[in-house]
Amino acid sequence: MNRCVYSYTNRQNYRNCDTLFRMLGKRLFGSRDYTPKEAKGRQHLEDTLKQVFQNAGFEQVILPTLELFDSIKLIGAFEEESCVSFLDHQQEKVVLRPDPTAAIARLISTRMQQVFPLKLSYFNPVFRKQKDNNIQEWYQAGVEFIGANQIDSDAYVLDLCIQSLQALGLQNFQIDINHPQQFQNFKKEDKQHLLNSDYLSLGYLPKRTPLKDWQGQNLALLSLQKAELYSEIFVNEALVKDLKYYDGIYFEVTLPGFPFVLATGGRYDQLLKKVNLNEDAIGFAIHLNRIQHVLEQSVSNE
Amino acid sequence: MAVAKGYIWDETEAFLKQLGWSFDTDLSKSRQLWTYEKQQDIKVLLVRSWDVPTYVAEGAVDIGIVGKDVLIEQKPDVLELLDLKYGACELVIAALENINLNMMQPYQRVATKYINSTKTYFKDQGLLVQPIKLAGAIELAPITGIADMICDLTATGTTLRENGLTIIETVFKSTARLIANPISMRTYNSKIASLVEQLKHHQV
């Protein structure tokens, strides 16, 4: 999904050089490098977000790239088949961080004074094995808001996500949102059809309603409706893939014309209970590589 | 929108014209590979049926029309929105003579374009075969002796019969499907949903 454009101005030279050097030119499919110009663009995005997060009172933490597989598994936030893993010298299974949640939970429970609420932010790459077995590396910027009153922090974090994307220069993005309670309202067979995206067996297309017109009982969604954060928020029944990890609102951000998700977020209270932290938690992560791609495209289209 | 060339496009064009769609260019008379429908504001691209899921999954187009056979074979990351009911055909196992599959020798060669479907079918039957991938004119394989049987798509069975082949078993039945890119299904939700309604309403 990450469409990087490599333009070698000296491609001809590169073709003519000897085999040894050409071996250096091979690369893993999901990785990329940045020229000074590209790096400056990325740095700018990062600086902007750092400022936004800092103004909102979030403090940055730095997390390790390598994790023991067991700790990822304990948190259970990540499917085994999408982890990039290997055995170290003691035959212990090690993974390249697929997601920062496990590391953050460990950091709080082992090394921090537990004065809540805690506002943490991070800027780091994550590594995933894609369906086609390619390893993909991408750069995430995100926040975690831990130990705050549920209903208020939903709107607060979603609003911060909207502000962050606007600060990066994105407009007209759309936010799809869902809640596990909404999913529980469906019949058992229909749940399975939704999970499989099998809309023919479901018999109809899942509804996607603008939040302001949405009618339902869900307290979290109703309070978001009252907050009136942004016009392009939709309650989408089809948004079910990651609902098993989230126990409150869950959202994904997309932009018309681009076939990928730019940011995801949600509430994951149960995950922290697994490491004996009895606190609510909500956060989001922004996919910086894709944002940069989108911004580069819109500049070149002008 | 991307539509599979050939019989799927022919039947799609006829169906859409019934709904009052009119295309800028008559693609049957021209070599142009795309056309435009003004009222619906939809651009239609004609691509090879095996490429339709790729166009849709990669987001080059938002929706597509393609046979279920291609979807079963490729398992692309797209949403299936509607069974259009036309473009009916079957994936079948055929050979020069009627063989009893349960009595056959292991590692018989099966020529096919549908490698995954062939493997799954024989695996489910508990049979060992050796699939051979061909891109077209599969019917020639048993005649020339590079395979013992074939697994191929047929609508009426005429081509198979004319090449002296007998249908042994049906793997699955297929019809044309409307598919969509999962992200387009969000960003252009209302437009796609109303198109699905329109097509559903006019189905026979």
Side-chain angles (χ1 to χ4, degrees), chain A residues 161-175 230-232 253-258 262 291 294-295 298-299 302, chain B residues 187-188:
Chain A
C161 184
I162 294 165
Q163 281 179 30
S164 308
L165 293 167
Q166 283 168 342
L168 292 173
L170 290 174
Q171 285 150 355
N172 306 326
F173 53 85
Q174 305 188 352
I175 302 175
Y230 182 67
S231 56
E232 302 281 294
V253 182
T254 50
L255 192 67
F258 293 92
L262 297 172
I291 302 264
V294 165
L295 293 173
S298 50
V299 168
E302 270 166 19
Chain B
T187 47
Y188 301 110

PDB file of all heavy atoms in Angstrom, chain A residues 161-175 230-232 253-258 262 291 294-295 298-299 302, chain B residues 187-188:
ATOM      1  N   CYS A 161      -6.821  14.061  17.596  1.00  0.00           N
ATOM      2  CA  CYS A 161      -6.487  13.408  16.331  1.00  0.00           C
ATOM      3  C   CYS A 161      -6.877  14.304  15.154  1.00  0.00           C
ATOM      4  O   CYS A 161      -6.100  14.486  14.216  1.00  0.00           O
ATOM      5  CB  CYS A 161      -7.192  12.059  16.252  1.00  0.00           C
ATOM      6  SG  CYS A 161      -6.773  11.119  14.793  1.00  0.00           S
ATOM      7  N   ILE A 162      -8.066  14.884  15.228  1.00  0.00           N
ATOM      8  CA  ILE A 162      -8.524  15.778  14.167  1.00  0.00           C
ATOM      9  C   ILE A 162      -7.600  16.989  14.052  1.00  0.00           C
ATOM     10  O   ILE A 162      -7.151  17.359  12.962  1.00  0.00           O
ATOM     11  CB  ILE A 162      -9.979  16.223  14.441  1.00  0.00           C
ATOM     12  CG1 ILE A 162     -10.922  15.027  14.357  1.00  0.00           C
ATOM     13  CG2 ILE A 162     -10.417  17.297  13.453  1.00  0.00           C
ATOM     14  CD1 ILE A 162     -12.289  15.271  14.950  1.00  0.00           C
ATOM     15  N   GLN A 163      -7.274  17.572  15.215  1.00  0.00           N
ATOM     16  CA  GLN A 163      -6.370  18.735  15.212  1.00  0.00           C
ATOM     17  C   GLN A 163      -5.009  18.390  14.637  1.00  0.00           C
ATOM     18  O   GLN A 163      -4.423  19.168  13.885  1.00  0.00           O
ATOM     19  CB  GLN A 163      -6.181  19.239  16.640  1.00  0.00           C
ATOM     20  CG  GLN A 163      -7.324  20.082  17.137  1.00  0.00           C
ATOM     21  CD  GLN A 163      -7.057  20.511  18.569  1.00  0.00           C
ATOM     22  OE1 GLN A 163      -5.910  20.673  18.969  1.00  0.00           O
ATOM     23  NE2 GLN A 163      -8.109  20.691  19.330  1.00  0.00           N
ATOM     24  N   SER A 164      -4.489  17.201  14.986  1.00  0.00           N
ATOM     25  CA  SER A 164      -3.176  16.787  14.487  1.00  0.00           C
ATOM     26  C   SER A 164      -3.185  16.698  12.972  1.00  0.00           C
ATOM     27  O   SER A 164      -2.280  17.191  12.306  1.00  0.00           O
ATOM     28  CB  SER A 164      -2.790  15.421  15.051  1.00  0.00           C
ATOM     29  OG  SER A 164      -2.910  15.414  16.433  1.00  0.00           O
ATOM     30  N   LEU A 165      -4.234  16.060  12.424  1.00  0.00           N
ATOM     31  CA  LEU A 165      -4.293  15.887  10.972  1.00  0.00           C
ATOM     32  C   LEU A 165      -4.439  17.239  10.271  1.00  0.00           C
ATOM     33  O   LEU A 165      -3.842  17.476   9.220  1.00  0.00           O
ATOM     34  CB  LEU A 165      -5.452  14.960  10.601  1.00  0.00           C
ATOM     35  CG  LEU A 165      -5.276  13.516  11.062  1.00  0.00           C
ATOM     36  CD1 LEU A 165      -6.562  12.733  10.954  1.00  0.00           C
ATOM     37  CD2 LEU A 165      -4.174  12.832  10.269  1.00  0.00           C
ATOM     38  N   GLN A 166      -5.221  18.126  10.885  1.00  0.00           N
ATOM     39  CA  GLN A 166      -5.377  19.461  10.290  1.00  0.00           C
ATOM     40  C   GLN A 166      -4.063  20.231  10.358  1.00  0.00           C
ATOM     41  O   GLN A 166      -3.690  20.912   9.403  1.00  0.00           O
ATOM     42  CB  GLN A 166      -6.497  20.226  10.990  1.00  0.00           C
ATOM     43  CG  GLN A 166      -7.864  19.743  10.527  1.00  0.00           C
ATOM     44  CD  GLN A 166      -9.007  20.248  11.386  1.00  0.00           C
ATOM     45  OE1 GLN A 166      -8.792  20.683  12.510  1.00  0.00           O
ATOM     46  NE2 GLN A 166     -10.223  20.173  10.854  1.00  0.00           N
ATOM     47  N   ALA A 167      -3.323  20.071  11.469  1.00  0.00           N
ATOM     48  CA  ALA A 167      -2.033  20.746  11.594  1.00  0.00           C
ATOM     49  C   ALA A 167      -1.054  20.254  10.529  1.00  0.00           C
ATOM     50  O   ALA A 167      -0.201  20.996  10.052  1.00  0.00           O
ATOM     51  CB  ALA A 167      -1.459  20.517  12.984  1.00  0.00           C
ATOM     52  N   LEU A 168      -1.204  18.967  10.116  1.00  0.00           N
ATOM     53  CA  LEU A 168      -0.324  18.423   9.090  1.00  0.00           C
ATOM     54  C   LEU A 168      -0.702  18.930   7.701  1.00  0.00           C
ATOM     55  O   LEU A 168       0.004  18.682   6.733  1.00  0.00           O
ATOM     56  CB  LEU A 168      -0.378  16.895   9.109  1.00  0.00           C
ATOM     57  CG  LEU A 168       0.217  16.220  10.336  1.00  0.00           C
ATOM     58  CD1 LEU A 168      -0.060  14.733  10.316  1.00  0.00           C
ATOM     59  CD2 LEU A 168       1.708  16.477  10.409  1.00  0.00           C
ATOM     60  N   GLY A 169      -1.829  19.612   7.602  1.00  0.00           N
ATOM     61  CA  GLY A 169      -2.237  20.180   6.321  1.00  0.00           C
ATOM     62  C   GLY A 169      -3.247  19.332   5.576  1.00  0.00           C
ATOM     63  O   GLY A 169      -3.460  19.506   4.382  1.00  0.00           O
ATOM     64  N   LEU A 170      -3.888  18.384   6.262  1.00  0.00           N
ATOM     65  CA  LEU A 170      -4.890  17.547   5.596  1.00  0.00           C
ATOM     66  C   LEU A 170      -6.272  18.171   5.747  1.00  0.00           C
ATOM     67  O   LEU A 170      -6.616  18.703   6.795  1.00  0.00           O
ATOM     68  CB  LEU A 170      -4.909  16.152   6.211  1.00  0.00           C
ATOM     69  CG  LEU A 170      -3.696  15.292   5.938  1.00  0.00           C
ATOM     70  CD1 LEU A 170      -3.793  14.018   6.729  1.00  0.00           C
ATOM     71  CD2 LEU A 170      -3.592  14.976   4.458  1.00  0.00           C
ATOM     72  N   GLN A 171      -7.038  18.098   4.642  1.00  0.00           N
ATOM     73  CA  GLN A 171      -8.414  18.578   4.686  1.00  0.00           C
ATOM     74  C   GLN A 171      -9.316  17.491   4.114  1.00  0.00           C
ATOM     75  O   GLN A 171      -8.838  16.595   3.425  1.00  0.00           O
ATOM     76  CB  GLN A 171      -8.558  19.847   3.835  1.00  0.00           C
ATOM     77  CG  GLN A 171      -7.957  21.046   4.508  1.00  0.00           C
ATOM     78  CD  GLN A 171      -7.432  22.037   3.492  1.00  0.00           C
ATOM     79  OE1 GLN A 171      -7.436  21.772   2.302  1.00  0.00           O
ATOM     80  NE2 GLN A 171      -6.980  23.171   3.975  1.00  0.00           N
ATOM     81  N   ASN A 172     -10.598  17.631   4.363  1.00  0.00           N
ATOM     82  CA  ASN A 172     -11.607  16.724   3.788  1.00  0.00           C
ATOM     83  C   ASN A 172     -11.416  15.266   4.153  1.00  0.00           C
ATOM     84  O   ASN A 172     -11.903  14.391   3.459  1.00  0.00           O
ATOM     85  CB  ASN A 172     -11.621  16.806   2.247  1.00  0.00           C
ATOM     86  CG  ASN A 172     -11.805  18.210   1.776  1.00  0.00           C
ATOM     87  OD1 ASN A 172     -12.502  18.989   2.415  1.00  0.00           O
ATOM     88  ND2 ASN A 172     -11.158  18.553   0.677  1.00  0.00           N
ATOM     89  N   PHE A 173     -10.637  14.984   5.183  1.00  0.00           N
ATOM     90  CA  PHE A 173     -10.527  13.575   5.576  1.00  0.00           C
ATOM     91  C   PHE A 173     -11.820  13.147   6.258  1.00  0.00           C
ATOM     92  O   PHE A 173     -12.595  13.981   6.721  1.00  0.00           O
ATOM     93  CB  PHE A 173      -9.310  13.345   6.480  1.00  0.00           C
ATOM     94  CG  PHE A 173      -9.221  14.230   7.674  1.00  0.00           C
ATOM     95  CD1 PHE A 173      -9.886  13.908   8.843  1.00  0.00           C
ATOM     96  CD2 PHE A 173      -8.478  15.411   7.629  1.00  0.00           C
ATOM     97  CE1 PHE A 173      -9.810  14.724   9.944  1.00  0.00           C
ATOM     98  CE2 PHE A 173      -8.395  16.239   8.736  1.00  0.00           C
ATOM     99  CZ  PHE A 173      -9.067  15.905   9.895  1.00  0.00           C
ATOM    100  N   GLN A 174     -12.059  11.827   6.246  1.00  0.00           N
ATOM    101  CA  GLN A 174     -13.287  11.293   6.833  1.00  0.00           C
ATOM    102  C   GLN A 174     -12.936  10.357   7.973  1.00  0.00           C
ATOM    103  O   GLN A 174     -11.936   9.655   7.908  1.00  0.00           O
ATOM    104  CB  GLN A 174     -14.086  10.523   5.770  1.00  0.00           C
ATOM    105  CG  GLN A 174     -14.385  11.358   4.551  1.00  0.00           C
ATOM    106  CD  GLN A 174     -15.332  10.656   3.597  1.00  0.00           C
ATOM    107  OE1 GLN A 174     -15.661   9.493   3.767  1.00  0.00           O
ATOM    108  NE2 GLN A 174     -15.768  11.390   2.586  1.00  0.00           N
ATOM    109  N   ILE A 175     -13.748  10.367   8.999  1.00  0.00           N
ATOM    110  CA  ILE A 175     -13.503   9.493  10.138  1.00  0.00           C
ATOM    111  C   ILE A 175     -14.656   8.502  10.260  1.00  0.00           C
ATOM    112  O   ILE A 175     -15.813   8.891  10.338  1.00  0.00           O
ATOM    113  CB  ILE A 175     -13.374  10.307  11.436  1.00  0.00           C
ATOM    114  CG1 ILE A 175     -12.232  11.313  11.293  1.00  0.00           C
ATOM    115  CG2 ILE A 175     -13.131   9.386  12.623  1.00  0.00           C
ATOM    116  CD1 ILE A 175     -12.085  12.247  12.466  1.00  0.00           C
ATOM    117  N   TYR A 230     -16.425  17.495  14.425  1.00  0.00           N
ATOM    118  CA  TYR A 230     -15.983  17.564  13.037  1.00  0.00           C
ATOM    119  C   TYR A 230     -17.138  17.077  12.172  1.00  0.00           C
ATOM    120  O   TYR A 230     -17.885  16.178  12.578  1.00  0.00           O
ATOM    121  CB  TYR A 230     -14.761  16.647  12.898  1.00  0.00           C
ATOM    122  CG  TYR A 230     -14.109  16.606  11.542  1.00  0.00           C
ATOM    123  CD1 TYR A 230     -13.465  17.723  11.027  1.00  0.00           C
ATOM    124  CD2 TYR A 230     -14.117  15.434  10.790  1.00  0.00           C
ATOM    125  CE1 TYR A 230     -12.853  17.671   9.795  1.00  0.00           C
ATOM    126  CE2 TYR A 230     -13.501  15.374   9.555  1.00  0.00           C
ATOM    127  CZ  TYR A 230     -12.857  16.496   9.057  1.00  0.00           C
ATOM    128  OH  TYR A 230     -12.258  16.444   7.843  1.00  0.00           O
ATOM    129  N   SER A 231     -17.308  17.671  10.995  1.00  0.00           N
ATOM    130  CA  SER A 231     -18.503  17.344  10.217  1.00  0.00           C
ATOM    131  C   SER A 231     -18.439  15.965   9.562  1.00  0.00           C
ATOM    132  O   SER A 231     -19.462  15.338   9.338  1.00  0.00           O
ATOM    133  CB  SER A 231     -18.733  18.418   9.163  1.00  0.00           C
ATOM    134  OG  SER A 231     -17.587  18.540   8.363  1.00  0.00           O
ATOM    135  N   GLU A 232     -17.215  15.503   9.225  1.00  0.00           N
ATOM    136  CA  GLU A 232     -17.105  14.257   8.456  1.00  0.00           C
ATOM    137  C   GLU A 232     -16.851  13.042   9.340  1.00  0.00           C
ATOM    138  O   GLU A 232     -15.879  12.316   9.131  1.00  0.00           O
ATOM    139  CB  GLU A 232     -15.987  14.373   7.426  1.00  0.00           C
ATOM    140  CG  GLU A 232     -16.149  15.513   6.449  1.00  0.00           C
ATOM    141  CD  GLU A 232     -17.144  15.188   5.347  1.00  0.00           C
ATOM    142  OE1 GLU A 232     -16.850  14.288   4.557  1.00  0.00           O
ATOM    143  OE2 GLU A 232     -18.203  15.826   5.293  1.00  0.00           O
ATOM    144  N   VAL A 253      -9.235   6.811   9.982  1.00  0.00           N
ATOM    145  CA  VAL A 253      -9.304   8.028   9.174  1.00  0.00           C
ATOM    146  C   VAL A 253      -8.890   7.715   7.738  1.00  0.00           C
ATOM    147  O   VAL A 253      -7.871   7.062   7.509  1.00  0.00           O
ATOM    148  CB  VAL A 253      -8.361   9.115   9.744  1.00  0.00           C
ATOM    149  CG1 VAL A 253      -8.473  10.387   8.935  1.00  0.00           C
ATOM    150  CG2 VAL A 253      -8.679   9.380  11.198  1.00  0.00           C
ATOM    151  N   THR A 254      -9.708   8.159   6.775  1.00  0.00           N
ATOM    152  CA  THR A 254      -9.383   7.965   5.362  1.00  0.00           C
ATOM    153  C   THR A 254      -9.542   9.284   4.617  1.00  0.00           C
ATOM    154  O   THR A 254     -10.136  10.231   5.132  1.00  0.00           O
ATOM    155  CB  THR A 254     -10.326   6.934   4.708  1.00  0.00           C
ATOM    156  OG1 THR A 254     -11.673   7.298   5.033  1.00  0.00           O
ATOM    157  CG2 THR A 254     -10.042   5.542   5.194  1.00  0.00           C
ATOM    158  N   LEU A 255      -9.017   9.312   3.397  1.00  0.00           N
ATOM    159  CA  LEU A 255      -9.102  10.509   2.573  1.00  0.00           C
ATOM    160  C   LEU A 255      -9.594  10.076   1.188  1.00  0.00           C
ATOM    161  O   LEU A 255      -9.054   9.127   0.624  1.00  0.00           O
ATOM    162  CB  LEU A 255      -7.698  11.126   2.466  1.00  0.00           C
ATOM    163  CG  LEU A 255      -7.564  12.518   1.893  1.00  0.00           C
ATOM    164  CD1 LEU A 255      -8.202  13.541   2.820  1.00  0.00           C
ATOM    165  CD2 LEU A 255      -6.092  12.867   1.708  1.00  0.00           C
ATOM    166  N   PRO A 256     -10.635  10.745   0.630  1.00  0.00           N
ATOM    167  CA  PRO A 256     -11.132  10.331  -0.682  1.00  0.00           C
ATOM    168  C   PRO A 256      -9.986  10.328  -1.711  1.00  0.00           C
ATOM    169  O   PRO A 256      -9.178  11.249  -1.735  1.00  0.00           O
ATOM    170  CB  PRO A 256     -12.155  11.415  -1.026  1.00  0.00           C
ATOM    171  CG  PRO A 256     -12.624  11.912   0.291  1.00  0.00           C
ATOM    172  CD  PRO A 256     -11.442  11.827   1.209  1.00  0.00           C
ATOM    173  N   GLY A 257      -9.925   9.287  -2.519  1.00  0.00           N
ATOM    174  CA  GLY A 257      -8.911   9.202  -3.556  1.00  0.00           C
ATOM    175  C   GLY A 257      -7.670   8.436  -3.142  1.00  0.00           C
ATOM    176  O   GLY A 257      -6.799   8.191  -3.974  1.00  0.00           O
ATOM    177  N   PHE A 258      -7.567   8.055  -1.879  1.00  0.00           N
ATOM    178  CA  PHE A 258      -6.399   7.286  -1.452  1.00  0.00           C
ATOM    179  C   PHE A 258      -6.855   5.983  -0.801  1.00  0.00           C
ATOM    180  O   PHE A 258      -7.650   5.997   0.139  1.00  0.00           O
ATOM    181  CB  PHE A 258      -5.545   8.092  -0.473  1.00  0.00           C
ATOM    182  CG  PHE A 258      -4.902   9.283  -1.116  1.00  0.00           C
ATOM    183  CD1 PHE A 258      -5.524  10.517  -1.095  1.00  0.00           C
ATOM    184  CD2 PHE A 258      -3.694   9.152  -1.782  1.00  0.00           C
ATOM    185  CE1 PHE A 258      -4.949  11.606  -1.721  1.00  0.00           C
ATOM    186  CE2 PHE A 258      -3.113  10.237  -2.396  1.00  0.00           C
ATOM    187  CZ  PHE A 258      -3.733  11.477  -2.370  1.00  0.00           C
ATOM    188  N   LEU A 262      -5.254   6.390   7.120  1.00  0.00           N
ATOM    189  CA  LEU A 262      -4.188   7.317   7.511  1.00  0.00           C
ATOM    190  C   LEU A 262      -3.923   7.310   9.010  1.00  0.00           C
ATOM    191  O   LEU A 262      -2.824   7.623   9.447  1.00  0.00           O
ATOM    192  CB  LEU A 262      -4.569   8.744   7.090  1.00  0.00           C
ATOM    193  CG  LEU A 262      -4.710   8.964   5.592  1.00  0.00           C
ATOM    194  CD1 LEU A 262      -5.270  10.343   5.331  1.00  0.00           C
ATOM    195  CD2 LEU A 262      -3.376   8.814   4.898  1.00  0.00           C
ATOM    196  N   ILE A 291       0.842   9.733   5.218  1.00  0.00           N
ATOM    197  CA  ILE A 291       0.523  11.160   5.216  1.00  0.00           C
ATOM    198  C   ILE A 291       1.496  11.888   4.284  1.00  0.00           C
ATOM    199  O   ILE A 291       1.095  12.728   3.480  1.00  0.00           O
ATOM    200  CB  ILE A 291       0.650  11.745   6.637  1.00  0.00           C
ATOM    201  CG1 ILE A 291      -0.247  11.012   7.597  1.00  0.00           C
ATOM    202  CG2 ILE A 291       0.402  13.240   6.620  1.00  0.00           C
ATOM    203  CD1 ILE A 291      -1.572  11.599   7.883  1.00  0.00           C
ATOM    204  N   VAL A 294       0.561  11.271   0.715  1.00  0.00           N
ATOM    205  CA  VAL A 294      -0.631  12.029   0.349  1.00  0.00           C
ATOM    206  C   VAL A 294      -0.265  13.492   0.103  1.00  0.00           C
ATOM    207  O   VAL A 294      -0.680  14.094  -0.897  1.00  0.00           O
ATOM    208  CB  VAL A 294      -1.687  11.937   1.477  1.00  0.00           C
ATOM    209  CG1 VAL A 294      -2.766  12.980   1.298  1.00  0.00           C
ATOM    210  CG2 VAL A 294      -2.293  10.550   1.513  1.00  0.00           C
ATOM    211  N   LEU A 295       0.560  14.060   0.988  1.00  0.00           N
ATOM    212  CA  LEU A 295       0.911  15.477   0.851  1.00  0.00           C
ATOM    213  C   LEU A 295       1.784  15.707  -0.386  1.00  0.00           C
ATOM    214  O   LEU A 295       1.591  16.668  -1.116  1.00  0.00           O
ATOM    215  CB  LEU A 295       1.625  15.974   2.110  1.00  0.00           C
ATOM    216  CG  LEU A 295       0.740  16.021   3.363  1.00  0.00           C
ATOM    217  CD1 LEU A 295       1.554  16.359   4.581  1.00  0.00           C
ATOM    218  CD2 LEU A 295      -0.402  17.012   3.184  1.00  0.00           C
ATOM    219  N   SER A 298      -0.459  15.702  -3.407  1.00  0.00           N
ATOM    220  CA  SER A 298      -1.309  16.871  -3.613  1.00  0.00           C
ATOM    221  C   SER A 298      -0.450  18.068  -4.035  1.00  0.00           C
ATOM    222  O   SER A 298      -0.928  18.940  -4.754  1.00  0.00           O
ATOM    223  CB  SER A 298      -2.131  17.187  -2.363  1.00  0.00           C
ATOM    224  OG  SER A 298      -1.314  17.222  -1.233  1.00  0.00           O
ATOM    225  N   VAL A 299       0.828  18.092  -3.637  1.00  0.00           N
ATOM    226  CA  VAL A 299       1.709  19.165  -4.118  1.00  0.00           C
ATOM    227  C   VAL A 299       1.963  18.983  -5.614  1.00  0.00           C
ATOM    228  O   VAL A 299       1.843  19.910  -6.398  1.00  0.00           O
ATOM    229  CB  VAL A 299       3.052  19.168  -3.341  1.00  0.00           C
ATOM    230  CG1 VAL A 299       4.050  20.078  -4.030  1.00  0.00           C
ATOM    231  CG2 VAL A 299       2.802  19.635  -1.922  1.00  0.00           C
ATOM    232  N   GLU A 302      -0.776  20.084  -8.026  1.00  0.00           N
ATOM    233  CA  GLU A 302      -1.144  21.497  -8.142  1.00  0.00           C
ATOM    234  C   GLU A 302      -0.518  22.139  -9.356  1.00  0.00           C
ATOM    235  O   GLU A 302       0.506  21.731  -9.831  1.00  0.00           O
ATOM    236  CB  GLU A 302      -0.689  22.245  -6.872  1.00  0.00           C
ATOM    237  CG  GLU A 302      -1.796  22.237  -5.816  1.00  0.00           C
ATOM    238  CD  GLU A 302      -1.270  22.662  -4.445  1.00  0.00           C
ATOM    239  OE1 GLU A 302      -0.207  23.279  -4.390  1.00  0.00           O
ATOM    240  OE2 GLU A 302      -1.931  22.315  -3.451  1.00  0.00           O
TER     241      GLU A 302
ATOM    242  N   THR B 187     -15.275   6.163   1.627  1.00  0.00           N
ATOM    243  CA  THR B 187     -15.175   7.553   1.184  1.00  0.00           C
ATOM    244  C   THR B 187     -16.264   7.908   0.165  1.00  0.00           C
ATOM    245  O   THR B 187     -16.640   9.062   0.060  1.00  0.00           O
ATOM    246  CB  THR B 187     -13.781   7.838   0.606  1.00  0.00           C
ATOM    247  OG1 THR B 187     -13.430   6.798  -0.282  1.00  0.00           O
ATOM    248  CG2 THR B 187     -12.747   7.903   1.701  1.00  0.00           C
ATOM    249  N   TYR B 188     -16.727   6.930  -0.632  1.00  0.00           N
ATOM    250  CA  TYR B 188     -17.808   7.209  -1.588  1.00  0.00           C
ATOM    251  C   TYR B 188     -19.024   6.361  -1.238  1.00  0.00           C
ATOM    252  O   TYR B 188     -19.704   5.830  -2.118  1.00  0.00           O
ATOM    253  CB  TYR B 188     -17.338   6.940  -3.017  1.00  0.00           C
ATOM    254  CG  TYR B 188     -16.149   7.778  -3.394  1.00  0.00           C
ATOM    255  CD1 TYR B 188     -14.893   7.203  -3.565  1.00  0.00           C
ATOM    256  CD2 TYR B 188     -16.270   9.151  -3.559  1.00  0.00           C
ATOM    257  CE1 TYR B 188     -13.789   7.971  -3.880  1.00  0.00           C
ATOM    258  CE2 TYR B 188     -15.179   9.934  -3.879  1.00  0.00           C
ATOM    259  CZ  TYR B 188     -13.941   9.344  -4.033  1.00  0.00           C
ATOM    260  OH  TYR B 188     -12.846  10.119  -4.345  1.00  0.00           O
TER     261      TYR B 188
END
